[in-house]
Amino acid sequence: MAKNGIVIHYLRTAMEKEIVLSGIRPTGFLHLGNYFGAMRNYVRMQDEFNCYFFVANWHSLTTHPDTKTLQESVLRVVAENIACGLDPEKVSLYVQSDVPEIAELYLYLNMLAYKGELEKTTTFKDKVRMQPENVNAGLLTYPVLQAADILIHRAVKVPVGKDQEQNLEMARNFAERFNHRYGETFPLPYAFNYNSELVKIMGLDGNGKMSKSENQMTTLFLADEDELIRKKVMKAKTDQGPLTPNSVKPDYIQNLFTLMGLVSSADTVKKFEDDFNNSSDGNCIIRYGDMKKQLAEDMVQFINPIRNKAADLQNNKDLLLKIIHQGADKARTSASATLTTVRKAVGMEYL
Ligand code: AMP
């Protein structure tokens, strides 16, 4: 192929790559659930797709955080994403509020979202339970802002954990309504995970998902020190062992095996699976203490390099700021192109 042909081929391939978008709220330290539900996929996707990843600082305002520490949290999330393997040269890594086009699209989509359906979303109901004194309109329209985040880049693949499945369905509904009312504008976005099942990482007590805000001792954070990781894992709930061979595992035991499957070698998992399956009342081969010790060490091996790299990056604020400026430039180019089409479709073009 002639040189020009190669360049054109390259450009066409880049343009034809499917568009990916996902975001993480800067509401606390990132944890293992964020890693396996979201960031692990981001890192794999950056080579295959045209990726936009952002820190959702507008979203975090729904819970009225201390905005003095918010900026530091935003930069920490950026650092942690890079420490997990995101390459800011390959993806657009930006902060939501640096792309004001999203807010305008949010406004148009709000006209297509109904109070009844918003009140029924699980994430809204959870938040109402957690902060009954602060049920603001931003909380109610959270799925609309999320749809705007996705549709502003015309993204089709959204790598998220299982907790976001319903919000993605709403984003598709809003996109379909927009297309129906104003003409074909948006492709429909879908939640994505490399394995067909979306992931949900449970807390170390097997009760509820790991989360930035709920029980800190049952969540493993990517910033946890080695000793704290050991302490948390060793405290995980177990019991006296199975009463019959090949028993069904209780949730909290299954959870330890799931976590082990994520960070330990296949041989290690097999050894403990075999010990579990060959155990019975009076002949308990599996030693949960040993299993937790092994899991703790493998967890330390996994988290320690991410923690150290993120800490180094956080000491280089200038670099982090340069990265998010560059990310915002790329994101605004894509966002303003979409908004031009949207304004035309809605009939908001007067200038
Ligand atoms: P959040 O922490 O709510 O901002 O979520 C950021 C991303 O992490 C979203 O894609 C979530 O679906 C994902 N996520 C959060 N917690 C978990 C969890 N415990 N298991 C799996 N994915 C999770």
Side-chain angles (χ1 to χ4, degrees):
M1 210 185 299
K3 197 169 164 208
N4 265 354
I6 293 172
V7 171
I8 289 168
H9 172 77
Y10 171 78
L11 284 176
R12 192 175 300 139
T13 317
M15 282 166 67
E16 281 167 5
K17 277 185 179 174
E18 280 185 303
I19 299 172
V20 169
L21 173 120
S22 193
I24 296 192
R25 287 171 308 144
T27 42
F29 287 85
L30 298 190
H31 52 77
L32 222 58
N34 295 131
Y35 182 87
F36 287 105
M39 280 135 74
R40 179 176 60 167
N41 283 330
Y42 298 1
V43 173
R44 277 185 70 180
M45 293 178 103
Q46 65 185 346
D47 290 313
E48 265 178 75
F49 301 103
N50 185 4
C51 295
Y52 296 89
F53 297 120
F54 71 101
V55 187
N57 59 344
W58 278 338
H59 281 288
S60 67
L61 294 179
T62 56
T63 52
H64 294 177
D66 175 358
T67 44
K68 286 191 205 75
T69 55
L70 189 59
Q71 207 170 56
E72 188 187 321
S73 302
V74 166
L75 293 184
R76 192 181 53 239
V77 172
V78 172
E80 287 182 320
N81 271 279
I82 298 170
C84 288
L86 263 201
D87 180 347
E89 295 302 322
K90 290 185 185 163
V91 305
S92 160
L93 183 56
Y94 63 96
V95 180
Q96 189 180 28
S97 60
D98 285 338
V99 183
E101 289 80 1
I102 300 166
E104 188 176 332
L105 180 57
Y106 170 52
L107 183 147
Y108 299 131
L109 295 177
N110 264 320
M111 312 302 170
L112 304 173
Y114 295 97
K115 179 171 161 276
E117 63 183 340
L118 294 170
E119 280 171 344
K120 269 193 259 160
T121 46
T122 311
T123 43
F124 178 69
K125 286 195 283 192
D126 284 351
K127 285 282 159 57
V128 171
R129 186 177 45 82
M130 279 156 63
Q131 50 178 75
E133 75 301 337
N134 179 22
V135 184
N136 58 66
L139 208 54
L140 183 68
T141 57
Y142 189 108
V144 189
L145 181 55
Q146 199 172 30
D149 291 325
I150 299 167
L151 300 177
I152 198 76
H153 299 300
R154 306 162 53 78
V156 290
K157 284 192 161 55
V158 186
V160 283
K162 190 154 182 58
D163 55 338
Q164 292 294 329
E165 211 171 14
Q166 190 186 29
N167 287 359
L168 253 291
E169 195 182 320
M170 296 187 77
R172 277 196 297 284
N173 288 341
F174 302 146
E176 271 180 329
R177 275 177 220 164
F178 189 101
N179 290 347
H180 181 71
R181 182 164 292 271
Y182 302 116
E184 203 59 33
T185 306
F186 296 115
L188 301 186
Y190 286 86
F192 178 85
N193 187 47
Y194 273 101
N195 307 314
S196 52
E197 285 288 300
L198 296 182
V199 174
K200 180 171 178 182
I201 304 293
M202 305 300 287
L204 283 166
D205 54 358
N207 232 342
K209 63 171 190 166
M210 277 197 191
S211 112
K212 295 189 194 112
S213 46
E214 279 170 48
N215 190 349
Q216 309 272 303
M217 276 313 280
T218 60
T219 293
L220 289 166
F221 293 97
L222 300 179
D224 280 347
E225 293 292 339
D226 296 351
E227 266 323 296
L228 184 55
I229 298 171
R230 292 190 181 103
K231 195 168 155 197
K232 287 182 180 178
V233 174
M234 292 314 288
K235 273 183 164 248
K237 180 177 172 185
T238 54
D239 52 29
Q240 76 286 9
L243 299 177
T244 51
N246 300 311
S247 294
V248 174
K249 299 184 184 94
D251 286 353
Y252 48 91
I253 298 293
Q254 177 55 53
N255 190 40
L256 292 182
F257 276 96
T258 304
L259 292 173
M260 196 168 231
L262 294 170
V263 297
S264 304
S265 73
D267 287 350
T268 303
V269 180
K270 183 169 183 314
K271 175 203 156 10
F272 288 105
E273 283 282 359
D274 289 347
D275 287 355
F276 181 90
N277 287 330
N278 293 320
S279 289
S280 60
D281 196 13
N283 178 31
C284 188
I285 301 168
I286 185 149
R287 299 268 171 264
Y288 287 132
D290 291 349
M291 181 178 176
K292 289 197 281 188
K293 261 191 213 145
Q294 180 69 51
L295 178 61
E297 287 319 307
D298 292 339
M299 218 32 110
V300 165
Q301 292 298 316
F302 180 81
I303 291 178
N304 174 302
I306 297 178
R307 182 188 68 225
N308 291 340
K309 185 158 185 215
D312 285 350
L313 281 161
Q314 280 174 85
N315 287 329
N316 195 344
K317 194 172 166 189
D318 287 347
L319 176 66
L320 293 177
L321 290 175
K322 191 171 151 247
I323 288 170
I324 57 175
H325 287 157
Q326 179 181 313
D329 281 348
K330 281 197 231 170
R332 289 198 72 182
T333 305
S334 144
S336 61
T338 304
L339 206 51
T340 303
T341 314
V342 166
R343 282 191 187 144
K344 209 180 276 174
V346 184
M348 292 292 147
E349 244 194 339
Y350 298 107
L351 298 177

